[in-house]
Structure formats: structure tokens, C-alpha cells
Amino acid sequence: METFVNTTVALLTVLALFLVLALPSLIGLRHEWRVDRELRAARESARPAQKSSSKPTEPSTATWYAEGRRSKKLVSS
């Protein structure tokens, strides 16, 4: 009977230590899941408000040329 009690106490001690060590990780994992869920919901609610065209806009040739000229002036002076 004494062996059974010792074994049970040892098992409960190991389980308690495991819970103490694993609890911060489990709490962090739960927090990460909540943040992911909130980000997903925000992304879904923001989609209809976006522009219909998903193609990124490119600067015109004149803008590209002017920026190139500005950068050359800064380098040469």
C-alpha cells in the first residue's frame, strides 16, 4: 500500500511540474491564436473597402525621369 501512495504522489508531482512548466507556453499559444483570429477578421472586413483594381500603380515616365535627374544632381554636388 505504501508503494502505491509513493507512486501516486510521485506521479502527481511530475504532472504538477509539467503543468507549471507548460502553462506559460499554453497561455502564449492561446494569445497568439486570438491575435491571429482578430487579424483575420480585420483583413476580411477591410477587403470590400479596397479599390477594385489590385494592380499596383507605376510612376509615369516623366516622374521616373525627374527622380533620376534629382538623384544625379545630389550625387554630383
Side-chain angles (χ1 to χ4, degrees):
M1 185 71 167
E2 186 177 325
T3 306
F4 176 75
V5 173
N6 287 340
T7 305
T8 306
V9 169
L11 180 66
L12 291 175
T13 303
V14 169
L15 286 175
L17 285 174
F18 177 76
L19 286 176
V20 166
L21 292 175
L23 191 60
S25 296
L26 295 174
I27 291 171
L29 184 63
R30 182 176 166 223
H31 176 72
E32 289 294 323
W33 284 345
R34 184 175 54 85
V35 169
D36 288 344
R37 194 170 53 243
E38 289 176 1
L39 287 174
R40 198 175 315 118
R43 194 178 311 127
E44 290 296 324
S45 67
R47 278 195 182 156
Q50 291 178 349
K51 294 170 31 175
S52 61
S53 172
S54 61
K55 179 182 170 189
T57 58
E58 297 179 17
S60 66
T61 306
T63 306
W64 174 79
Y65 179 76
E67 287 176 358
R69 297 281 294 170
R70 270 188 240 121
S71 65
K72 287 179 184 174
K73 285 182 181 177
L74 292 175
V75 171
S76 65
S77 56

